[in-house]
Amino acid sequence: LTYADYLDVQSLFLGNNGAFARSTCPNEGNNLRNHWDFDGDDDCVHFPRQRGDEPLVMRLVRLAFHDSTGYVDRFVENNPFHDGLEGAFLLVDQAYHQALEDESISSEIGIADFYAFSYLVAVERAVARSNNDHQINWGTISYGRKAASETDGPLIEDRFPDGRDHADGQQLFDYFSNLLGFSERETGVLIGAHTLGRARRDVSGFVGPWNNNDEEFDNNYYSNLLDPNCDTKWWRFLVHSPKNPELIGAFIEAGGGGGGGGGGNDLQNGDCVGWEQVNEGSNAFPRFQWRHSCRENGGGCRDLMLNLDMGLLRDIDDFIDPASGAIMGVPPGSGCSWPGRAVAACFPIRESGASDAVIEFSSNQNEDEFIDEFSTVFLAMVNNVADPSSLSSFP
């Protein structure tokens, strides 16, 4: 294969009549519901009711993680934990077989490579949607993957770290270190993919986007994780001194804060305290996630982070209950605590390359550098196959 073959796949998705552009399903009631549609037949039934091309882009990036981390190439469709991805499977499969029939792609492109190429195109599309004119340079692109049905070897089922398992930062680092040899920084860069999409209660039990611009690939995940934009002096103070959480206590005593519309000290009022852990599930089926701008009455909450997200930045691992995912207690001497509440700012910044990446890429000035680093580690993940020697590549 050559780079021209990759461009054919790219055109199949990005062209004016490409897979990302098709949304031909009819209106339902008074609401226009744009669906993904490939052949105008049954796809309106199978594909989720979503807006335009954004859902397919986000699902393909998500699918890349599951397809590339622990499964024989393209052996993903039988995994019960891939909720919400059925539409992506259907569309990519249909696009592949239709393209072969139309001879719009080379017959030498196997379906496993077609999936891999679609993941790269999805990232390109997401970057373009952010109005960023930065061009991704993939360097060399590999091909020669085999789908599960084309191999005689055992099917490898190694579950990707899942928020429902209450995975923490160290578990995430260990997973990608063992699987791909990634450093903690590389893992922190890869998880920047959470800038796309959102958690859905009906899929995972968690709910909300990781940032308020979840349809574009940018650095907002990191800026939101570091500073969830609470309009209070105390939070800005803490962000400017992220390595010194012990200063919180002194700041409280000095009467710091004063924003949030409540008067007095925001930390004492319990108003805007940045990221705070809440249970979006039930006592029987807990789903502890991090919300920001939460108040004791539950008002003012928006966005989410999972424990594994917060674990990239904050040193919380030793305080997570492995059974429920709940934060139990705060570090001694932290100087901030409310009974029954877990506030991220009470925990020190983790000494890790991952936290360095979060802080570095939270600046808009470093967004292009983030895209470049992400594309490198994302491509390495997509190139993870059972037998690397089976792959060839083109520039």
Side-chain angles (χ1 to χ4, degrees):
L1 299 180
T2 68
Y3 188 65
D5 294 307
Y6 172 75
L7 292 179
D8 287 340
V9 175
Q10 184 188 71
S11 177
L12 191 68
F13 282 88
L14 299 183
N16 291 333
N17 195 36
F20 288 158
R22 303 182 186 191
S23 55
T24 60
C25 294
N27 295 356
E28 294 182 9
N30 295 323
N31 297 319
L32 176 63
R33 305 202 180 216
N34 290 331
H35 301 243
W36 310 332
D37 185 70
F38 188 78
D39 60 12
D41 185 13
D42 297 327
D43 303 348
C44 297
V45 175
H46 295 300
F47 296 171
R49 301 172 183 174
Q50 300 285 355
R51 303 178 309 282
D53 68 353
E54 302 94 334
L56 178 57
V57 169
M58 292 183 283
R59 281 169 172 77
L60 285 178
V61 173
R62 179 184 164 205
L63 180 56
F65 278 75
H66 295 286
D67 195 6
S68 305
T69 54
Y71 283 85
V72 171
D73 308 323
R74 203 183 153 272
F75 179 66
V76 289
E77 57 268 36
N78 295 325
N79 187 348
F81 295 96
H82 296 155
D83 308 281
L85 295 179
E86 297 85 356
F89 292 131
L90 289 167
L91 188 140
V92 176
D93 274 353
Q94 289 182 4
Y96 175 71
H97 293 294
Q98 187 68 49
L100 288 180
E101 183 177 331
D102 296 342
E103 298 184 350
S104 54
I105 63 171
S106 168
S107 60
E108 297 298 315
I109 300 177
I111 193 167
D113 284 331
F114 187 82
Y115 265 74
F117 293 173
S118 75
Y119 304 149
L120 306 186
V121 175
V123 172
E124 294 175 7
R125 175 64 169 170
V127 171
R129 287 191 58 82
S130 68
N131 297 316
N132 189 318
D133 58 3
H134 188 69
Q135 297 296 311
I136 294 178
N137 180 6
W138 295 112
T140 59
I141 298 177
S142 298
Y143 64 94
R145 297 166 182 82
K146 299 294 183 182
S149 59
E150 300 171 317
T151 66
D152 296 325
L155 299 178
I156 304 171
E157 299 190 24
D158 182 13
R159 283 279 308 284
F160 183 76
D162 194 321
R164 288 171 291 192
D165 295 333
H166 316 302
D168 58 35
Q170 192 58 54
Q171 288 174 297
L172 196 67
F173 298 147
D174 290 345
Y175 182 88
F176 282 106
S177 175
N178 294 334
L179 183 74
L180 297 170
F182 280 0
S183 67
E184 292 185 0
R185 179 184 177 89
E186 289 171 323
T187 297
V189 170
L190 187 65
I191 301 304
H194 275 172
T195 199
L196 292 172
R198 62 181 59 213
R200 290 166 42 200
R201 192 186 304 276
D202 61 323
V203 172
S204 65
F206 302 108
V207 60
W210 280 266
N211 68 86
N212 61 5
N213 201 23
D214 64 312
E215 297 174 353
E216 299 176 1
F217 195 89
D218 51 31
N219 68 324
N220 280 341
Y221 167 73
Y222 295 114
S223 58
N224 203 30
L225 177 56
L226 179 64
D227 176 7
N229 300 317
C230 295
D231 187 17
T232 57
K233 296 177 183 177
W234 80 268
W235 182 255
R236 299 292 172 182
F237 172 81
L238 292 178
V239 170
H240 293 156
S241 304
K243 299 285 185 181
N244 298 285
E246 62 272 9
L247 293 176
I248 299 174
F251 195 58
I252 295 174
E253 294 177 2
N265 188 307
D266 292 317
L267 286 176
Q268 294 172 341
N269 290 345
D271 282 349
C272 182
V273 293
W275 288 109
E276 177 177 356
Q277 196 188 60
V278 297
N279 185 6
E280 288 288 343
S282 63
N283 290 334
F285 300 100
R287 289 292 181 267
F288 282 95
Q289 66 181 58
W290 297 82
R291 289 288 204 183
H292 74 66
S293 300
C294 294
R295 296 187 170 93
E296 287 183 283
N297 64 4
C301 296
R302 52 177 294 196
D303 294 359
L304 95 155
M305 293 289 166
L306 303 176
N307 282 341
L308 59 82
D309 298 299
M310 196 58 62
L312 297 178
L313 177 65
R314 299 280 177 182
D315 200 357
I316 65 171
D317 293 0
D318 291 341
F319 296 87
I320 298 175
D321 177 8
S324 67
I327 292 291
M328 308 297 289
V330 295
S334 67
C336 68
S337 176
W338 294 270
R341 299 178 71 181
V343 176
C346 296
F347 295 84
I349 295 294
R350 190 181 201 119
E351 295 292 339
S352 167
S355 64
D356 291 341
V358 171
I359 294 170
E360 177 183 346
F361 294 140
S362 68
S363 169
N364 290 337
Q365 294 179 340
N366 296 326
E367 184 172 86
D368 287 352
E369 287 75 10
F370 161 57
I371 293 172
D372 287 339
E373 282 200 42
F374 177 85
S375 62
T376 298
V377 295
F378 185 79
L379 183 63
M381 181 186 72
V382 171
N383 286 342
N384 179 49
V385 297
D387 180 13
S389 66
S390 66
L391 296 182
S392 301
S393 62
F394 51 79

